[in-house]
Amino acid sequence: MQPPSDETLRNLLSDLYPDNSSGDLQALSSQLLQILGPASVHADPAVGNHCWNGDDVVLITYADAVVDDAKPGLQGLCTFVNRHLGLFSPVIHVLPFLEATSDGGFAVSSHERLESRHGDWSDLSALAEGRRLMADLVLNHVSASHPWVRQFLRDEEPGRFCVLEASPDPCWDDVVRPRSSALFTTLQGTDGCRQVWTTFGPDQVDLDWRCPEVLLGFTRLLKQKLAHGVRWIRLDAVGFVWKEPNTACIHRPQVHRLVEVLRYLLMHACGGQGVVVTETNVPEQENLSYLRSGREAHLAYNFPLPPLLMEAAMSGSADLLNRWLSRWPQLPTATALLNFTACHDGVGLRPLEGLMPQRRLLNLLIACEQRGGLVSHRRLADGVEVPYEINISWWSAMADGGVDPAHLQRDRFLLTELLKLVLPGIPAFYLPALLASPNDLARFRQSGHRRDLNRPQFKAAALARRLDDPDSDATAVLTTLRRALSVRAELQALHPDSRLEVLSVDRVDRVVLRCSYQGHSLVAVHNFTASRLTFDPTLLGGHDDVVWVDRLSDQQFDPRRRHALEPYSVLWLVQP
């Protein structure tokens, strides 16, 4: 994969900055490339010419998720991952690690310094040894304490042009946003009060991407991250970055051009071996718009998957999940979906628009609240607040709704994690979910932030004891999923670029998927009920004189007779 020509960059920049002269655009293009330096500086020949491999998995974690009092966060994380999670971490997504003032690191106050409790840039480089790192570019906003905002308030360069100043006006009535806080916030400047745009809250001040200095600043940050092992770049909330009057201010054409520009810069700096990941928690077709051209993102978060999978596992009815899987999108070459269940945010509900009836959605919200979860809302243009996300740990969500929450909880949890491993694309695991962590009620009560229900920290010593216990849920989960990842790496049919066929479109009780790649095939069977079912191998489309083998357990199945399918069980069937 070779980077495009410099003329491509100039053309993209002309779409972003149409009022700039050709000379200005040429100068800007040269500045951007000069910041990044020669492409060969950051090339990583070990990865080869492909975006991903058959054994690629993403581990999502905070830098300080594992607390060792004797080490900075990144060092403690590195020690833990290297010891326990090698198969889960070919790619590690380290959630925002720069200095920040709120929102779990997403209100970035410095583009130069890491939070001291995490360590320093050398610790990030150490974590990158033997793997690739994924890091965020929080593009839409910075902390109200960021130098750009302070400069803006003093009317000093470059910040005076970098902050988006606006005030309430009917031209903003159609703005789509994910929060119920005020869209505009008043800050005190040297010469009086200034009103700024705050999409995500008063401590997160939106940037004015019409100013080239913003792009230059993020290019410097990109270079710094690349120099310390980052190869995958997550574009946080990218859909919101460009605002225009009398529009919804989301997914504007300039946003798509900006993604192309950032991809160009990443490809230039990495010798064509980087990966751009877009994070847009929006209805499905809007999300996929960043993949459709084949020139923007390489990966996009598969946002409909978590709520559909959660609802199916909770209700025992997989009809909506089957229907959605049967419409799996056909995407351009070298693009795919990032398949996840849990993450550091809540379970987004906007991606369910058009996919789940209101009655089913209401039942899902009730079921989550019964399991200790909470529901966060966003405010529509007419002032009405509607559910936006469910805040709950994935482990708690998989609890039984009856008298004994632990009844079949482990089986239900593993069902969901194993299903995402057979889907086309790249699977991602959130560290607290891998460790079978319940809702962190203490952390939520302390902070008052709903997302903290699913943002626990782990004492390194206590975590070691938990993993040494052969009967702990964490040990059971990791043992099963390690086995599955080892098997997946051996199966060509489960390559990220595989083709998916749903054999259970009209079923409610099960999900049966055929995965195919370069002449190899596998059938994955999932029981979504708490009852024992049966399955008929003659309906799987194989040879009636060749035994079926479950690669997860090595159990063999006669192709001519029915077999039992235990509650929440999963089979990966092949015919040798």
Tab-separated table of all heavy atoms in Angstrom, residues 74-129:
chain	number	residue	atom	x	y	z
A	74	LEU	N	1.359	3.101	32.822
A	74	LEU	CA	1.733	2.398	31.597
A	74	LEU	C	2.695	1.250	31.876
A	74	LEU	O	2.636	0.212	31.214
A	74	LEU	CB	2.345	3.374	30.591
A	74	LEU	CG	1.356	4.290	29.869
A	74	LEU	CD1	2.073	5.416	29.152
A	74	LEU	CD2	0.500	3.486	28.882
A	75	GLN	N	3.569	1.413	32.863
A	75	GLN	CA	4.478	0.327	33.205
A	75	GLN	C	3.719	-0.844	33.827
A	75	GLN	O	3.964	-2.010	33.499
A	75	GLN	CB	5.557	0.822	34.162
A	75	GLN	CG	6.556	1.779	33.533
A	75	GLN	CD	7.650	2.196	34.509
A	75	GLN	OE1	7.913	1.512	35.490
A	75	GLN	NE2	8.287	3.328	34.228
A	76	GLY	N	2.788	-0.545	34.732
A	76	GLY	CA	1.979	-1.598	35.331
A	76	GLY	C	1.133	-2.314	34.299
A	76	GLY	O	0.990	-3.546	34.325
A	77	LEU	N	0.563	-1.541	33.358
A	77	LEU	CA	-0.235	-2.143	32.293
A	77	LEU	C	0.615	-3.048	31.424
A	77	LEU	O	0.213	-4.169	31.076
A	77	LEU	CB	-0.871	-1.035	31.445
A	77	LEU	CG	-1.694	-1.488	30.243
A	77	LEU	CD1	-2.935	-2.246	30.699
A	77	LEU	CD2	-2.091	-0.287	29.380
A	78	CYS	N	1.800	-2.576	31.069
A	78	CYS	CA	2.702	-3.349	30.215
A	78	CYS	C	3.060	-4.683	30.873
A	78	CYS	O	3.025	-5.744	30.237
A	78	CYS	CB	3.960	-2.538	29.913
A	78	CYS	SG	5.063	-3.294	28.710
A	79	THR	N	3.406	-4.639	32.147
A	79	THR	CA	3.752	-5.869	32.871
A	79	THR	C	2.586	-6.838	32.874
A	79	THR	O	2.752	-8.043	32.602
A	79	THR	CB	4.149	-5.534	34.319
A	79	THR	OG1	5.301	-4.693	34.312
A	79	THR	CG2	4.456	-6.796	35.109
A	80	PHE	N	1.388	-6.338	33.150
A	80	PHE	CA	0.210	-7.207	33.219
A	80	PHE	C	-0.132	-7.807	31.856
A	80	PHE	O	-0.385	-9.012	31.730
A	80	PHE	CB	-0.982	-6.420	33.766
A	80	PHE	CG	-2.251	-7.209	33.784
A	80	PHE	CD1	-2.464	-8.180	34.748
A	80	PHE	CD2	-3.236	-6.998	32.826
A	80	PHE	CE1	-3.635	-8.930	34.756
A	80	PHE	CE2	-4.402	-7.728	32.827
A	80	PHE	CZ	-4.606	-8.697	33.796
A	81	VAL	N	-0.145	-6.964	30.833
A	81	VAL	CA	-0.507	-7.451	29.498
A	81	VAL	C	0.503	-8.485	29.002
A	81	VAL	O	0.130	-9.537	28.474
A	81	VAL	CB	-0.618	-6.271	28.509
A	81	VAL	CG1	-0.721	-6.779	27.078
A	81	VAL	CG2	-1.837	-5.410	28.850
A	82	ASN	N	1.780	-8.200	29.171
A	82	ASN	CA	2.797	-9.141	28.701
A	82	ASN	C	2.704	-10.480	29.431
A	82	ASN	O	3.000	-11.534	28.853
A	82	ASN	CB	4.187	-8.547	28.886
A	82	ASN	CG	4.465	-7.419	27.908
A	82	ASN	OD1	3.787	-7.278	26.892
A	82	ASN	ND2	5.454	-6.602	28.204
A	83	ARG	N	2.282	-10.457	30.674
A	83	ARG	CA	2.219	-11.685	31.456
A	83	ARG	C	0.944	-12.478	31.193
A	83	ARG	O	0.964	-13.713	31.175
A	83	ARG	CB	2.312	-11.343	32.946
A	83	ARG	CG	2.348	-12.551	33.887
A	83	ARG	CD	2.598	-12.088	35.310
A	83	ARG	NE	3.884	-11.409	35.420
A	83	ARG	CZ	4.247	-10.645	36.445
A	83	ARG	NH1	3.401	-10.457	37.459
A	83	ARG	NH2	5.438	-10.067	36.468
A	84	HIS	N	-0.183	-11.793	30.950
A	84	HIS	CA	-1.467	-12.489	30.933
A	84	HIS	C	-2.248	-12.376	29.623
A	84	HIS	O	-3.129	-13.200	29.380
A	84	HIS	CB	-2.366	-11.957	32.059
A	84	HIS	CG	-1.845	-12.210	33.431
A	84	HIS	ND1	-1.884	-13.450	34.029
A	84	HIS	CD2	-1.260	-11.366	34.331
A	84	HIS	CE1	-1.364	-13.372	35.249
A	84	HIS	NE2	-0.968	-12.123	35.448
A	85	LEU	N	-1.973	-11.360	28.810
A	85	LEU	CA	-2.895	-11.061	27.707
A	85	LEU	C	-2.198	-10.977	26.355
A	85	LEU	O	-2.611	-10.204	25.483
A	85	LEU	CB	-3.640	-9.749	27.994
A	85	LEU	CG	-4.512	-9.729	29.250
A	85	LEU	CD1	-5.142	-8.356	29.427
A	85	LEU	CD2	-5.589	-10.808	29.194
A	86	GLY	N	-1.167	-11.775	26.143
A	86	GLY	CA	-0.441	-11.715	24.882
A	86	GLY	C	-1.318	-11.927	23.666
A	86	GLY	O	-1.253	-11.172	22.681
A	87	LEU	N	-2.187	-12.947	23.694
A	87	LEU	CA	-3.039	-13.248	22.542
A	87	LEU	C	-4.092	-12.169	22.309
A	87	LEU	O	-4.606	-12.032	21.201
A	87	LEU	CB	-3.736	-14.596	22.734
A	87	LEU	CG	-2.879	-15.848	22.550
A	87	LEU	CD1	-3.687	-17.095	22.899
A	87	LEU	CD2	-2.374	-15.945	21.115
A	88	PHE	N	-4.405	-11.408	23.352
A	88	PHE	CA	-5.452	-10.388	23.242
A	88	PHE	C	-4.904	-9.030	22.808
A	88	PHE	O	-5.677	-8.083	22.681
A	88	PHE	CB	-6.148	-10.215	24.601
A	88	PHE	CG	-6.880	-11.431	25.078
A	88	PHE	CD1	-6.238	-12.378	25.857
A	88	PHE	CD2	-8.204	-11.644	24.739
A	88	PHE	CE1	-6.903	-13.507	26.312
A	88	PHE	CE2	-8.879	-12.774	25.177
A	88	PHE	CZ	-8.229	-13.710	25.965
A	89	SER	N	-3.598	-8.917	22.598
A	89	SER	CA	-3.019	-7.576	22.451
A	89	SER	C	-2.071	-7.383	21.280
A	89	SER	O	-1.077	-6.663	21.415
A	89	SER	CB	-2.297	-7.204	23.748
A	89	SER	OG	-1.287	-8.163	24.064
A	90	PRO	N	-2.325	-7.984	20.103
A	90	PRO	CA	-1.529	-7.581	18.939
A	90	PRO	C	-1.632	-6.078	18.683
A	90	PRO	O	-0.694	-5.440	18.229
A	90	PRO	CB	-2.155	-8.377	17.785
A	90	PRO	CG	-2.778	-9.567	18.437
A	90	PRO	CD	-3.274	-9.056	19.760
A	91	VAL	N	-2.825	-5.528	19.011
A	91	VAL	CA	-3.036	-4.072	18.969
A	91	VAL	C	-3.632	-3.674	20.312
A	91	VAL	O	-4.591	-4.294	20.781
A	91	VAL	CB	-3.997	-3.662	17.838
A	91	VAL	CG1	-4.188	-2.141	17.817
A	91	VAL	CG2	-3.500	-4.165	16.486
A	92	ILE	N	-3.048	-2.674	20.954
A	92	ILE	CA	-3.621	-2.145	22.198
A	92	ILE	C	-4.103	-0.722	21.957
A	92	ILE	O	-3.339	0.141	21.526
A	92	ILE	CB	-2.593	-2.141	23.351
A	92	ILE	CG1	-2.129	-3.561	23.674
A	92	ILE	CG2	-3.213	-1.519	24.600
A	92	ILE	CD1	-1.162	-3.627	24.853
A	93	HIS	N	-5.379	-0.512	22.220
A	93	HIS	CA	-5.913	0.852	22.197
A	93	HIS	C	-5.777	1.427	23.603
A	93	HIS	O	-6.532	1.050	24.515
A	93	HIS	CB	-7.381	0.863	21.765
A	93	HIS	CG	-8.019	2.217	21.830
A	93	HIS	ND1	-9.380	2.406	21.886
A	93	HIS	CD2	-7.468	3.466	21.849
A	93	HIS	CE1	-9.641	3.698	21.943
A	93	HIS	NE2	-8.498	4.355	21.927
A	94	VAL	N	-4.810	2.318	23.786
A	94	VAL	CA	-4.639	3.005	25.058
A	94	VAL	C	-5.509	4.254	25.008
A	94	VAL	O	-5.236	5.183	24.243
A	94	VAL	CB	-3.167	3.374	25.312
A	94	VAL	CG1	-3.024	3.961	26.711
A	94	VAL	CG2	-2.269	2.164	25.152
A	95	LEU	N	-6.561	4.258	25.804
A	95	LEU	CA	-7.469	5.392	25.832
A	95	LEU	C	-6.705	6.647	26.265
A	95	LEU	O	-5.589	6.555	26.775
A	95	LEU	CB	-8.631	5.073	26.763
A	95	LEU	CG	-9.574	4.003	26.176
A	95	LEU	CD1	-10.368	3.309	27.269
A	95	LEU	CD2	-10.504	4.608	25.135
A	96	PRO	N	-7.260	7.846	26.063
A	96	PRO	CA	-6.485	9.091	26.190
A	96	PRO	C	-5.563	9.129	27.396
A	96	PRO	O	-5.987	8.950	28.535
A	96	PRO	CB	-7.575	10.153	26.273
A	96	PRO	CG	-8.671	9.609	25.421
A	96	PRO	CD	-8.661	8.132	25.709
A	97	PHE	N	-4.295	9.377	27.105
A	97	PHE	CA	-3.258	9.349	28.131
A	97	PHE	C	-2.579	10.701	28.314
A	97	PHE	O	-1.713	10.851	29.168
A	97	PHE	CB	-2.201	8.294	27.787
A	97	PHE	CG	-1.750	8.316	26.347
A	97	PHE	CD1	-0.839	9.253	25.905
A	97	PHE	CD2	-2.264	7.401	25.439
A	97	PHE	CE1	-0.426	9.285	24.584
A	97	PHE	CE2	-1.862	7.418	24.105
A	97	PHE	CZ	-0.927	8.360	23.674
A	98	LEU	N	-2.949	11.683	27.497
A	98	LEU	CA	-2.378	13.016	27.655
A	98	LEU	C	-3.006	13.729	28.847
A	98	LEU	O	-4.061	13.314	29.355
A	98	LEU	CB	-2.608	13.831	26.384
A	98	LEU	CG	-1.896	13.327	25.118
A	98	LEU	CD1	-2.383	14.096	23.893
A	98	LEU	CD2	-0.388	13.451	25.268
A	99	GLU	N	-2.365	14.811	29.294
A	99	GLU	CA	-2.938	15.584	30.385
A	99	GLU	C	-4.346	16.027	30.018
A	99	GLU	O	-4.601	16.489	28.896
A	99	GLU	CB	-2.079	16.805	30.689
A	99	GLU	CG	-0.787	16.479	31.419
A	99	GLU	CD	-0.026	17.727	31.842
A	99	GLU	OE1	-0.488	18.846	31.538
A	99	GLU	OE2	1.039	17.586	32.472
A	100	ALA	N	-5.266	15.869	30.963
A	100	ALA	CA	-6.673	16.192	30.710
A	100	ALA	C	-7.319	16.635	32.017
A	100	ALA	O	-6.792	16.389	33.113
A	100	ALA	CB	-7.407	14.989	30.141
A	101	THR	N	-8.478	17.274	31.895
A	101	THR	CA	-9.150	17.812	33.081
A	101	THR	C	-10.456	17.117	33.409
A	101	THR	O	-10.989	17.311	34.506
A	101	THR	CB	-9.414	19.312	32.897
A	101	THR	OG1	-10.102	19.523	31.650
A	101	THR	CG2	-8.102	20.092	32.896
A	102	SER	N	-11.005	16.308	32.477
A	102	SER	CA	-12.284	15.644	32.764
A	102	SER	C	-12.595	14.630	31.673
A	102	SER	O	-11.798	14.402	30.753
A	102	SER	CB	-13.424	16.678	32.858
A	102	SER	OG	-13.608	17.341	31.613
A	103	ASP	N	-13.777	14.011	31.797
A	103	ASP	CA	-14.339	13.091	30.805
A	103	ASP	C	-13.403	11.926	30.495
A	103	ASP	O	-13.206	11.570	29.327
A	103	ASP	CB	-14.720	13.830	29.524
A	103	ASP	CG	-15.643	12.982	28.630
A	103	ASP	OD1	-16.329	12.093	29.163
A	103	ASP	OD2	-15.650	13.197	27.399
A	104	GLY	N	-12.821	11.347	31.521
A	104	GLY	CA	-11.993	10.169	31.325
A	104	GLY	C	-10.834	10.382	30.374
A	104	GLY	O	-10.424	9.459	29.672
A	105	GLY	N	-10.297	11.603	30.358
A	105	GLY	CA	-9.151	11.898	29.504
A	105	GLY	C	-9.500	12.549	28.185
A	105	GLY	O	-8.603	12.957	27.434
A	106	PHE	N	-10.792	12.673	27.870
A	106	PHE	CA	-11.184	13.215	26.574
A	106	PHE	C	-11.303	14.746	26.566
A	106	PHE	O	-11.639	15.324	25.532
A	106	PHE	CB	-12.492	12.573	26.111
A	106	PHE	CG	-12.305	11.166	25.613
A	106	PHE	CD1	-12.415	10.086	26.466
A	106	PHE	CD2	-11.997	10.921	24.285
A	106	PHE	CE1	-12.231	8.795	26.020
A	106	PHE	CE2	-11.806	9.630	23.821
A	106	PHE	CZ	-11.917	8.562	24.694
A	107	ALA	N	-11.056	15.389	27.702
A	107	ALA	CA	-10.922	16.850	27.727
A	107	ALA	C	-9.429	17.148	27.842
A	107	ALA	O	-8.895	17.418	28.921
A	107	ALA	CB	-11.704	17.443	28.895
A	108	VAL	N	-8.727	17.093	26.718
A	108	VAL	CA	-7.268	17.145	26.697
A	108	VAL	C	-6.794	18.573	26.955
A	108	VAL	O	-7.199	19.519	26.270
A	108	VAL	CB	-6.738	16.644	25.329
A	108	VAL	CG1	-5.220	16.738	25.282
A	108	VAL	CG2	-7.194	15.206	25.086
A	109	SER	N	-5.893	18.725	27.939
A	109	SER	CA	-5.389	20.055	28.286
A	109	SER	C	-3.967	20.295	27.791
A	109	SER	O	-3.477	21.428	27.849
A	109	SER	CB	-5.439	20.260	29.806
A	109	SER	OG	-4.709	19.256	30.484
A	110	SER	N	-3.285	19.245	27.304
A	110	SER	CA	-1.946	19.407	26.747
A	110	SER	C	-1.731	18.387	25.641
A	110	SER	O	-2.033	17.204	25.825
A	110	SER	CB	-0.877	19.209	27.824
A	110	SER	OG	0.419	19.172	27.234
A	111	HIS	N	-1.204	18.834	24.522
A	111	HIS	CA	-0.855	17.935	23.426
A	111	HIS	C	0.599	17.499	23.497
A	111	HIS	O	1.078	16.804	22.597
A	111	HIS	CB	-1.139	18.606	22.081
A	111	HIS	CG	-2.595	18.619	21.714
A	111	HIS	ND1	-3.122	19.463	20.766
A	111	HIS	CD2	-3.643	17.889	22.179
A	111	HIS	CE1	-4.421	19.262	20.651
A	111	HIS	NE2	-4.752	18.307	21.500
A	112	GLU	N	1.299	17.904	24.553
A	112	GLU	CA	2.722	17.571	24.674
A	112	GLU	C	3.016	16.593	25.811
A	112	GLU	O	3.942	15.802	25.714
A	112	GLU	CB	3.548	18.840	24.906
A	112	GLU	CG	3.675	19.743	23.694
A	112	GLU	CD	2.454	20.627	23.509
A	112	GLU	OE1	1.888	21.084	24.532
A	112	GLU	OE2	2.051	20.848	22.350
A	113	ARG	N	2.249	16.640	26.883
A	113	ARG	CA	2.610	15.914	28.101
A	113	ARG	C	1.580	14.838	28.454
A	113	ARG	O	0.366	15.055	28.299
A	113	ARG	CB	2.742	16.877	29.282
A	113	ARG	CG	3.851	17.906	29.114
A	113	ARG	CD	3.956	18.786	30.346
A	113	ARG	NE	2.701	19.487	30.630
A	113	ARG	CZ	2.344	20.632	30.057
A	113	ARG	NH1	3.138	21.204	29.166
A	113	ARG	NH2	1.199	21.210	30.375
A	114	LEU	N	2.081	13.718	28.946
A	114	LEU	CA	1.217	12.675	29.478
A	114	LEU	C	0.831	13.016	30.915
A	114	LEU	O	1.554	13.741	31.608
A	114	LEU	CB	1.919	11.313	29.476
A	114	LEU	CG	1.917	10.497	28.187
A	114	LEU	CD1	2.718	11.185	27.089
A	114	LEU	CD2	2.453	9.087	28.456
A	115	GLU	N	-0.302	12.474	31.359
A	115	GLU	CA	-0.627	12.546	32.776
A	115	GLU	C	0.512	11.898	33.554
A	115	GLU	O	0.949	10.791	33.225
A	115	GLU	CB	-1.939	11.808	33.058
A	115	GLU	CG	-3.185	12.530	32.588
A	115	GLU	CD	-3.594	13.664	33.526
A	115	GLU	OE1	-2.899	13.873	34.548
A	115	GLU	OE2	-4.603	14.331	33.239
A	116	SER	N	0.973	12.558	34.585
A	116	SER	CA	2.152	12.071	35.305
A	116	SER	C	1.927	10.677	35.889
A	116	SER	O	2.866	9.875	35.964
A	116	SER	CB	2.535	13.055	36.408
A	116	SER	OG	1.454	13.232	37.324
A	117	ARG	N	0.699	10.371	36.285
A	117	ARG	CA	0.454	9.054	36.878
A	117	ARG	C	0.580	7.924	35.852
A	117	ARG	O	0.739	6.763	36.219
A	117	ARG	CB	-0.918	9.005	37.542
A	117	ARG	CG	-2.108	9.047	36.574
A	117	ARG	CD	-3.435	9.017	37.314
A	117	ARG	NE	-4.575	8.928	36.427
A	117	ARG	CZ	-5.150	9.943	35.807
A	117	ARG	NH1	-4.650	11.166	35.992
A	117	ARG	NH2	-6.184	9.771	35.017
A	118	HIS	N	0.509	8.274	34.556
A	118	HIS	CA	0.648	7.256	33.517
A	118	HIS	C	2.103	6.945	33.197
A	118	HIS	O	2.406	5.869	32.676
A	118	HIS	CB	-0.044	7.705	32.224
A	118	HIS	CG	-1.520	7.928	32.372
A	118	HIS	ND1	-2.284	7.289	33.307
A	118	HIS	CD2	-2.375	8.723	31.660
A	118	HIS	CE1	-3.550	7.680	33.191
A	118	HIS	NE2	-3.626	8.548	32.202
A	119	GLY	N	3.003	7.873	33.449
A	119	GLY	CA	4.403	7.717	33.057
A	119	GLY	C	4.777	8.752	32.026
A	119	GLY	O	4.255	9.873	32.020
A	120	ASP	N	5.690	8.397	31.113
A	120	ASP	CA	6.114	9.347	30.089
A	120	ASP	C	6.111	8.662	28.725
A	120	ASP	O	5.690	7.516	28.588
A	120	ASP	CB	7.491	9.934	30.421
A	120	ASP	CG	8.562	8.861	30.615
A	120	ASP	OD1	8.457	7.786	29.974
A	120	ASP	OD2	9.509	9.101	31.392
A	121	TRP	N	6.582	9.391	27.735
A	121	TRP	CA	6.533	8.863	26.367
A	121	TRP	C	7.346	7.577	26.222
A	121	TRP	O	6.994	6.695	25.443
A	121	TRP	CB	7.042	9.931	25.391
A	121	TRP	CG	6.083	11.070	25.187
A	121	TRP	CD1	6.179	12.326	25.723
A	121	TRP	CD2	4.882	11.067	24.403
A	121	TRP	NE1	5.114	13.091	25.322
A	121	TRP	CE2	4.304	12.359	24.510
A	121	TRP	CE3	4.233	10.108	23.632
A	121	TRP	CZ2	3.116	12.698	23.868
A	121	TRP	CZ3	3.045	10.437	22.990
A	121	TRP	CH2	2.500	11.725	23.107
A	122	SER	N	8.417	7.450	26.976
A	122	SER	CA	9.216	6.225	26.876
A	122	SER	C	8.436	5.005	27.361
A	122	SER	O	8.637	3.894	26.860
A	122	SER	CB	10.521	6.369	27.680
A	122	SER	OG	10.252	6.462	29.070
A	123	ASP	N	7.533	5.203	28.308
A	123	ASP	CA	6.700	4.096	28.775
A	123	ASP	C	5.710	3.668	27.692
A	123	ASP	O	5.387	2.480	27.563
A	123	ASP	CB	5.940	4.493	30.041
A	123	ASP	CG	6.878	4.768	31.212
A	123	ASP	OD1	7.824	3.978	31.410
A	123	ASP	OD2	6.671	5.772	31.914
A	124	LEU	N	5.244	4.635	26.912
A	124	LEU	CA	4.369	4.295	25.788
A	124	LEU	C	5.149	3.478	24.759
A	124	LEU	O	4.644	2.476	24.225
A	124	LEU	CB	3.810	5.569	25.157
A	124	LEU	CG	2.632	5.373	24.195
A	124	LEU	CD1	1.379	4.963	24.955
A	124	LEU	CD2	2.366	6.656	23.411
A	125	SER	N	6.384	3.883	24.476
A	125	SER	CA	7.220	3.138	23.536
A	125	SER	C	7.469	1.716	24.018
A	125	SER	O	7.470	0.765	23.224
A	125	SER	CB	8.559	3.859	23.343
A	125	SER	OG	8.384	5.132	22.760
A	126	ALA	N	7.668	1.547	25.323
A	126	ALA	CA	7.907	0.212	25.866
A	126	ALA	C	6.681	-0.685	25.684
A	126	ALA	O	6.805	-1.873	25.364
A	126	ALA	CB	8.274	0.310	27.346
A	127	LEU	N	5.506	-0.116	25.873
A	127	LEU	CA	4.273	-0.887	25.670
A	127	LEU	C	4.119	-1.303	24.209
A	127	LEU	O	3.536	-2.349	23.903
A	127	LEU	CB	3.063	-0.057	26.113
A	127	LEU	CG	1.689	-0.724	26.014
A	127	LEU	CD1	1.604	-1.955	26.927
A	127	LEU	CD2	0.584	0.281	26.362
A	128	ALA	N	4.656	-0.497	23.297
A	128	ALA	CA	4.526	-0.770	21.859
A	128	ALA	C	5.451	-1.872	21.368
A	128	ALA	O	5.280	-2.349	20.231
A	128	ALA	CB	4.788	0.505	21.070
A	129	GLU	N	6.411	-2.280	22.165
A	129	GLU	CA	7.367	-3.299	21.707
A	129	GLU	C	6.654	-4.610	21.404
A	129	GLU	O	5.962	-5.165	22.244
A	129	GLU	CB	8.449	-3.518	22.766
A	129	GLU	CG	9.398	-2.342	22.922
A	129	GLU	CD	10.494	-2.606	23.942
A	129	GLU	OE1	10.619	-3.773	24.363
A	129	GLU	OE2	11.208	-1.657	24.309
